[in-house]
Amino acid sequence: MTCWYEGALAAFDTETTGVDVETDRIVSAAVVVQDAPGTRPRVSRWLVSPGVPVPAGATAVHGLTEEHLQHNGRWPAPVVYEIAEQLAEHTAMGRPLVVMNAPFDLTLLDRELRRHRASSLDRWFESAPLRVLDPRVLDKQLDRYRKGRRTLGDLCEQYGVALRGAHDAAADAMAALDVVRAVGRRFSARLERLSPAELHALQVGWHAAQARGLQAWFARSGSPELVSTEWPLRQELSAAA
């Protein structure tokens, strides 16, 4: 029987106006599907005119200007519907969903659905629950004593994955997918007997423990920053939303 990391995977990534999941918006997104390692991926892309200013700092990261998005992007409402629909279809077909730092991208998509569709991401997965593979959570759990950062670029370097065109949603999604396959192979003795559903459940606890550790570190450092233990989706809504 084919191990999950050698089978079909779908990956999702966004580029945004900033890093606050409650107030920032999606400006581009991509879903990448690969049926097996080495096969040609199928890529769906979306460009969004977010309806709010695009800060210069965000443009410096992903290269998408407010003017370009206004002229070439689509209105958010149909885009977020199409993204959620496609993610639900892949899940129903049994494809695990790779999302690097899932609580960011999935929560942002949820808030956009609430904002523009009076809906939520959970509603799309009532019949076929999400099964997420988060390379950041997996790597931190399986190689927990390794020092250094664990951004997508860092993980690509660690696992020998090429990252071409960083901060392009499709490029980042493909790189995250390749990293997950590489994590699976490196730690096959610990992972090959686990199904994606079992691994999803384990990541809920792993992420919570990782978040509590980071929160303790912030407390020792005197930082007021709060770290959510929720994964892969943050449920609480702030008044700012």
Side-chain angles (χ1 to χ4, degrees), residues 161-175:
V161 169
L163 175 55
R164 301 179 179 88
H167 299 297
D168 169 83
D172 286 356
M174 188 69 232

Side-chain angles (χ1 to χ4, degrees), residues 116-210:
H116 297 290
R117 305 290 310 193
S119 181
S120 70
L121 192 58
D122 283 337
R123 295 182 186 177
W124 287 92
F125 298 97
E126 291 174 345
S127 59
L130 264 173
R131 292 174 300 165
V132 175
L133 302 171
D134 187 333
R136 186 171 183 268
V137 174
L138 293 172
D139 175 71
K140 288 184 74 174
Q141 175 66 25
L142 296 165
D143 197 0
R144 66 178 70 183
Y145 300 113
R146 191 181 78 247
K147 295 183 179 180
R149 302 186 312 163
R150 300 181 193 245
T151 66
L152 180 59
D154 297 321
L155 296 187
C156 286
E157 183 175 352
Q158 176 68 24
Y159 290 94
V161 169
L163 175 55
R164 301 179 179 88
H167 299 297
D168 169 83
D172 286 356
M174 188 69 232
L177 190 153
D178 285 339
V179 167
V180 161
R181 292 200 191 280
V183 170
R185 295 186 190 108
R186 182 174 297 185
F187 299 99
S188 59
R190 300 167 65 180
L191 297 176
E192 64 183 357
R193 296 182 183 275
L194 295 171
S195 70
E198 291 169 328
L199 197 50
H200 179 106
L202 286 169
Q203 286 171 99
V204 173
W206 292 347
H207 176 270
Q210 293 163 11

